[in-house]
Amino acid sequence: MAASQHNLESTIGDPLGVPAGRRPRAAHWLAQIGLFCMPALVLTIPINLLPYALLLLVSTAMVPGLLWQARRMDKQPIKVLSWLMLAVLVMAIVSVALFEQGLRDVDNRSRFLVIPWIALWVCALRPDMRWLWRGAFAGLVGTFVLSALQVFQGAARAELFTNAIVLADIVMMLMVLLVFCRPSRRWSLVIVGMAAGCGTIILTGSRGVFAALLALLVALALSLRWRTGVARLSVLAGMLTIGATLLLSVPELRHQVRLSELHSDVQRMEQGDSDSSAGARVERLQVAWETFLDHPLTGVGIGHFDTAMKRVPACRENPQEIRCHLRHAHNDLAEWGATQGLPGVLLLLAVYGVPLWVFVRLHRRSGHATFRGPAAAGVMVVVSYILCGLTQSMFAHQMTASFYVTIVGLLTGLSIVEGARHRAKNAR
């Protein structure tokens, strides 16, 4: 056992430092660049995660044995996430076989393959988490600048290289990284980044991220070691009051976040008109529920929610109706239940529940006295995805699906390394 541990340390280096050797050190620096590029470029360039993916591939090819050795650092989280990966892939293949679909329909689910790979990559090369934080800050500021330019040039809503809802959702995740992966004494930059993120969300006009944003602010307020809990909650209440007052009192802001449109949508729904943003979401929830009751074990097949929409009279009368061809249910639970039945619902619970359990466990072993660090960021990313998934199908879009599997792998690896360093420090 001692010999095995010695071989591991000589192969992948001291858990408190960078890997030993010229090639491992070069791969380590490529990993740090990749850690920066992932959040910095995901929204600011058309090819989003491609630069990060290339750096991941090149650095892995440089030291493949290092990744294999790194599995010994903490086997359980990676093993659990690997089983989750296999479950998602198997369910996707079963759906394809049942409905004779093309492999294109399971493309987003196949991205779960990278979770254990990325976690091992981080454990082996141990990039500094500060590069992830710097990338999140650069991504938030850059995204706000580009979004402001797009709106000032005449666009109704900021979308950049995706759509407005996905843009707001990913900005929300970058704000989570900014807050919980922060280094010490960087509060001024955190405030700037948060302001940029909130500004971008307003420019997108997306309302679906407000619940996740509230959860982030509550978690931030409760995690601060500042005076008493009452004082922290008072500061939170003050921030929310100021934000709500600005949104309700400034006509330009109220128009940009579509509060008047929401009121109009509700009135139209009361008159039986579902052809609106809010009305279409309610209609799709009803369709998803009826489809689930009709096909409780199989659903209608991954990526084929439009098939379920054919039960709506308006879609039968006018097949070209736009709301009949959105390809998903605009709600995670409705999407997975309607397209994969009860097994899909259980799988969705695992997709969120398993990483959540892993991050909670890793945070307990991190040595942090407060709720911060990569494991805390992982918990809040999963919570934010769950809340954003109330009004969006998070895995029906390439960007949100890719970001989830990537950030779960990265934060798992960073949490494992952090725990190893904490245990090594206690041992000394």
Side-chain angles (χ1 to χ4, degrees), residues 23-25 27-28 58-68 121 124-125:
R23 182 175 292 184
R25 287 181 182 274
H28 164 80
V58 171
S59 55
T60 298
M62 291 175 65
V63 286
L66 212 59
L67 272 69
W68 180 248
W121 176 75
L125 300 180

Side-chain angles (χ1 to χ4, degrees), residues 131-155:
W131 288 98
L132 183 67
W133 181 83
R134 291 165 183 158
F137 176 78
L140 286 168
V141 174
T143 300
F144 173 70
V145 171
L146 293 176
S147 298
L149 288 173
Q150 189 175 43
V151 171
F152 291 156
Q153 289 173 358

Side-chain angles (χ1 to χ4, degrees), residues 201-214:
I201 289 173
I202 290 174
L203 292 174
T204 65
S206 177
R207 303 179 296 254
V209 297
F210 285 176
L213 181 58
L214 176 60

Side-chain angles (χ1 to χ4, degrees), residues 353-366:
V354 170
L356 187 62
W357 175 83
V358 167
F359 286 127
V360 168
R361 175 183 175 275
L362 289 172
H363 185 264
R364 290 174 177 172
R365 305 173 60 190
S366 66

Side-chain angles (χ1 to χ4, degrees), residues 66-324:
L66 212 59
L67 272 69
W68 180 248
Q69 292 289 335
R71 76 190 190 283
R72 303 176 187 174
M73 191 174 292
D74 193 345
K75 294 181 179 180
Q76 188 180 37
I78 296 176
K79 183 183 295 185
V80 169
L81 292 174
S82 297
W83 281 112
L84 173 65
M85 170 200 74
L86 290 174
V88 172
L89 293 178
V90 168
M91 285 288 295
I93 293 171
V94 168
S95 182
V96 168
L98 284 175
F99 295 95
E100 299 180 353
Q101 301 166 336
L103 293 178
R104 181 184 64 83
D105 293 320
V106 298
D107 175 56
N108 288 342
R109 307 292 173 88
S110 68
R111 299 170 194 272
F112 278 79
L113 280 167
V114 304
I115 293 180
W117 173 15
I118 293 175
L120 288 173
W121 176 75
V122 174
C123 290
L125 300 180
R126 293 191 294 284
D128 191 332
M129 185 177 66
R130 286 177 293 185
W131 288 98
L132 183 67
W133 181 83
R134 291 165 183 158
F137 176 78
L140 286 168
V141 174
T143 300
F144 173 70
V145 171
L146 293 176
S147 298
L149 288 173
Q150 189 175 43
V151 171
F152 291 156
Q153 289 173 358
R157 302 169 65 181
E159 294 185 335
L160 297 188
F161 310 106
T162 176
N163 65 60
I165 300 174
V166 171
L167 175 59
D169 290 340
I170 299 297
V171 165
M172 181 67 236
M173 307 310 154
L174 297 185
M175 292 168 70
V176 170
L177 297 180
L178 183 79
V179 168
F180 292 101
C181 295
R182 66 187 185 276
S184 300
R185 297 183 296 275
R186 289 293 186 273
W187 277 111
S188 59
L189 294 180
V190 169
I191 293 172
V192 171
M194 288 286 286
C198 290
T200 303
I201 289 173
I202 290 174
L203 292 174
T204 65
S206 177
R207 303 179 296 254
V209 297
F210 285 176
L213 181 58
L214 176 60
L216 172 62
L217 294 176
V218 171
L220 173 61
L222 295 178
S223 66
L224 295 177
R225 301 181 66 178
W226 183 71
R227 298 186 181 180
T228 65
V230 174
R232 293 194 292 268
L233 291 177
S234 298
V235 171
L236 172 64
M239 293 168 54
L240 295 177
T241 300
I242 293 173
T245 301
L246 288 173
L247 287 177
L248 295 174
S249 61
V250 180
E252 290 80 5
L253 291 179
R254 189 169 63 248
H255 172 74
Q256 191 63 42
V257 297
R258 303 183 300 141
L259 292 181
S260 300
E261 180 182 318
L262 178 61
H263 178 67
S264 174
D265 289 354
V266 172
Q267 289 182 326
R268 293 172 63 179
M269 287 168 56
E270 291 175 346
Q271 298 171 2
D273 182 2
S274 298
D275 192 11
S276 64
S277 177
R281 280 175 164 81
V282 173
E283 179 182 65
R284 300 177 89 77
L285 290 176
Q286 294 171 342
V287 168
W289 174 244
E290 293 169 1
T291 303
F292 176 77
L293 293 179
D294 289 345
H295 308 279
L297 296 180
T298 62
V300 293
I302 293 176
H304 284 257
F305 188 81
D306 285 354
T307 301
M309 287 298 294
K310 293 179 181 178
R311 67 172 62 240
V312 177
C315 295
R316 292 196 300 270
E317 295 169 3
N318 182 13
Q320 304 304 318
E321 184 77 26
I322 294 178
R323 76 176 195 265
C324 303

Side-chain angles (χ1 to χ4, degrees), residues 330-384:
H330 270 288
N331 176 279
D332 268 339
L333 190 60
E335 173 76 18
W336 289 60
T339 58
Q340 291 184 271
L342 181 59
V345 172
L346 297 177
L347 185 60
L348 177 64
L349 296 177
V351 163
Y352 287 140
V354 170
L356 187 62
W357 175 83
V358 167
F359 286 127
V360 168
R361 175 183 175 275
L362 289 172
H363 185 264
R364 290 174 177 172
R365 305 173 60 190
S366 66
H368 282 295
T370 58
F371 189 66
R372 61 175 298 185
V379 169
M380 289 307 302
V381 163
V382 175
V383 170
S384 297

